[in-house]
Amino acid sequence: MSANPDPGTTPRTEPQPHGRGDRVGVDPRSPRFGAGITAVLLLADLFLALTGATAAAAVLLLVIALLFAWGAFAGVRRHPYGALYRVAVRPRLAPPAELEDPAPPTFAQGVGLFVTGLGLVLFASGVTIALPIAAALAFVAAFLNAVFGYCLGCQLYLLLVRAGLIRRPATAA
C-alpha cells in the first residue's frame, strides 16, 4: 500500500494487472470518464429546461438520476459508464499508477442522486425552477470532476469521515 502524502485526497492503493476483477480500488480515470458523459447529459438537460422543453428535461434528468442511483447502490465498479470505460477506453491506456478507493466516488453518486432527485421532486410539486437549478448544480460538480479531477462528492465524503459521521469501510488486502 502506498502512503497517501495528502490526507485531503482520496486514499489510493497499489495497481493490479489489467483484467483482474477483484481489485481493491478503481482506476481513477474511470469516474472522470463517467463524469464527462454525465456533464454532457446535464448540459443538454439544462439547455432543454431553459428553452422550455421542460417535459423532455424532466425525463432526461430522471434518466440521469437513475444512473446516479445505479452508481450509488451498485457501486462505481458496476456502473454502465465504468463498464464502457473498461471495454472501450482502458485497453488503449497504460495501467494507472495507482488505484482509487471506490467508496468516495460511490458516495458522490449518492450526492448526485440526492441533488437530481430533489430537483425532480420539487419540479413535480410545481416548483418549475428546481429542474434547471438541480441540473446546473449537478453539471458544475460533474464538470469539475471531468475536467479538473476535483470530485465534490468525494471531498464531502472525506469531510464526513474526518468528522466521524461516516465510518470508512475496511478494505481487503
Side-chain angles (χ1 to χ4, degrees):
M1 200 91 116
S2 62
N4 188 11
D6 180 6
T9 61
T10 303
R12 309 239 180 222
T13 58
E14 293 300 321
Q16 297 191 8
H18 275 326
R20 298 249 340 233
D22 60 346
R23 49 179 116 241
V24 173
V26 294
D27 184 336
R29 300 168 294 189
S30 180
R32 287 184 73 177
F33 173 78
I37 296 170
T38 302
V40 170
L41 291 174
L42 285 163
L43 190 59
D45 188 70
L46 190 56
F47 176 77
L48 289 170
L50 294 176
T51 57
T54 54
V59 169
L60 181 55
L61 195 60
L62 176 61
V63 169
I64 295 167
L66 291 172
L67 286 165
F68 278 134
W70 192 329
F73 296 115
V76 292
R77 291 184 187 137
R78 294 180 190 93
H79 194 279
Y81 298 158
L84 180 62
Y85 174 82
R86 281 189 306 278
V87 170
V89 178
R90 185 162 180 183
R92 292 168 175 73
L93 302 174
E98 44 192 22
L99 298 175
E100 182 176 63
D101 179 1
T106 299
F107 180 84
Q109 291 287 305
V111 173
L113 173 60
F114 176 78
V115 170
T116 55
L118 182 62
L120 286 166
V121 167
L122 290 173
F123 174 75
S125 300
V127 184
T128 55
I129 193 70
L131 193 71
I133 289 173
L137 290 172
F139 169 75
V140 168
F143 179 82
L144 286 172
N145 192 356
V147 175
F148 300 108
Y150 189 80
C151 175
L152 290 173
C154 300
Q155 294 303 316
L156 178 59
Y157 173 86
L158 294 171
L159 284 172
L160 293 173
V161 166
R162 281 191 210 109
L165 299 172
I166 294 179
R167 210 169 15 153
R168 183 184 302 268
T171 56

